[in-house]
Amino acid sequence: VSQLDDAGGTATVTQSGDSNDSTVNQTSNGSIATVDQSGSGNLSVLNQGRNDGNPFQTNGQQALITQGGDNNQSYATQSGSSGDLNVNQEGNSNEAYVTQAGQLSDAMIDQIGDDNYASIDQSVGNAPNPPGGSDPRVATASISQDGSNNSSTIDQFGGSATISARLMEASSSQGGDNNQSTISQTNTLVAGASSGNFASVDQGGNDNISTVMQDGALNEAMVDQSGNGNESWVSQAGSGHSATVTQSSDMNNSVVNQTGMNNTATVTQGM
């Protein structure tokens, strides 16, 4: 544990198992970190905040990392602003990586099963937030894996001087086994104060693959895979798109491509 600069952080690390390793480095004010590792072979590395005095730093980070199983790994990095980060791994051989680059970002990873992998990456290159704007929030991401051998990634990024990638939201829930979920959200196409893309993936079956790609503003994608061996691809470019994919039987394949504005697609496979 190392607290530098103003040393405004509070860090608590408790390790009751064997071969545990934890490194906490807080270089900002207002940082709080709690790491609890009760299993064996756990590794957790956490770094919060930019150097004190950075003009883009608000330094309100908090972090909670709990690993109750064996051979868990977690790397968490928060740089700037009021990020809140939770990682909880109760299974075995799980890995979780979270990177947040500022501006009120939220992240949560919960892995109860075994041999799961989860990654959340939130970039803060998200301008513009107009003067007097009510919410500087960048993105919210959540991953929950209760099954085993699941893989889930959420990547939220983008933004320029005239195009905003703010206010994106993504969630991935995997209750079955051997599922893969990828969500990518950005905005390089639609000028405005915020993006507002939303994506939700729920995989309750086994051996499913889901990919959601969103580029633009006010797009919505919802994927529900309760069957087995299904594949779903949703690509949205532009604004105002809506896509709903439901795969409740087995071995289905769905591809949805939406470009332009205000398109709606509904795919139902199975009873």
Side-chain angles (χ1 to χ4, degrees):
V1 177
S2 177
Q3 296 176 331
L4 305 177
D5 294 332
D6 290 341
T10 299
T12 301
V13 177
T14 301
Q15 297 175 323
S16 60
D18 299 327
S19 300
N20 293 313
D21 188 0
S22 176
T23 300
V24 177
N25 184 16
Q26 296 176 323
T27 314
S28 64
N29 61 342
S31 295
I32 298 175
T34 300
V35 177
D36 184 1
Q37 297 176 323
S38 60
S40 299
N42 296 312
L43 173 65
S44 174
V45 177
L46 175 67
N47 183 22
Q48 293 184 321
R50 299 168 184 168
N51 292 332
D52 185 65
N54 189 298
F56 303 105
Q57 181 66 272
T58 59
N59 300 322
Q61 291 87 4
Q62 295 186 11
L64 172 64
I65 298 175
T66 302
Q67 297 176 322
D70 298 330
N71 300 315
N72 294 312
Q73 290 185 330
S74 175
Y75 316 117
T77 300
Q78 294 180 327
S79 296
S81 294
S82 302
D84 179 64
L85 181 148
N86 298 311
V87 176
N88 185 14
Q89 297 177 323
E90 299 292 340
N92 300 317
S93 300
N94 295 312
E95 294 187 12
Y97 316 121
V98 178
T99 301
Q100 295 180 318
Q103 296 242 12
L104 296 175
S105 296
D106 296 322
M108 183 192 76
I109 295 177
D110 181 23
Q111 295 177 321
I112 304 295
D114 300 330
D115 300 300
N116 292 311
Y117 162 82
S119 176
I120 297 177
D121 185 357
Q122 295 176 323
S123 173
V124 78
N126 62 344
N129 185 30
S134 59
D135 192 351
R137 184 175 300 277
V138 180
T140 299
S142 173
I143 295 175
S144 177
Q145 294 175 320
D146 292 330
S148 300
N149 298 304
N150 293 306
S151 174
S152 179
T153 61
I154 296 176
D155 190 10
Q156 296 167 318
F157 64 98
S160 67
T162 59
I163 297 177
S164 173
R166 297 177 184 270
L167 302 178
M168 296 184 295
E169 182 177 354
S171 66
S172 175
S173 177
Q174 296 171 316
D177 300 330
N178 302 309
N179 294 302
Q180 298 180 31
S181 173
T182 300
I183 298 175
S184 177
Q185 294 178 315
T186 189
N187 181 18
T188 66
L189 302 174
V190 181
S194 65
S195 174
N197 291 318
F198 173 83
S200 173
V201 176
D202 188 352
Q203 295 174 315
N206 303 318
D207 303 300
N208 295 302
I209 299 175
S210 173
T211 302
V212 176
M213 311 289 287
Q214 294 177 318
D215 187 349
L218 300 176
N219 296 305
E220 180 178 288
M222 292 179 290
V223 178
D224 187 346
Q225 295 174 316
S226 57
N228 302 317
N230 295 301
E231 294 189 22
S232 172
W233 172 280
V234 177
S235 176
Q236 297 174 317
S239 63
H241 301 307
S242 175
T244 302
V245 178
T246 303
Q247 296 174 316
S248 57
S249 59
D250 300 336
M251 306 302 294
N252 295 299
N253 194 316
S254 172
V255 177
V256 176
N257 289 312
Q258 295 175 315
T259 61
M261 298 174 59
N262 302 322
N263 293 304
T264 300
T266 302
V267 177
T268 302
Q269 294 174 317
M271 301 300 295

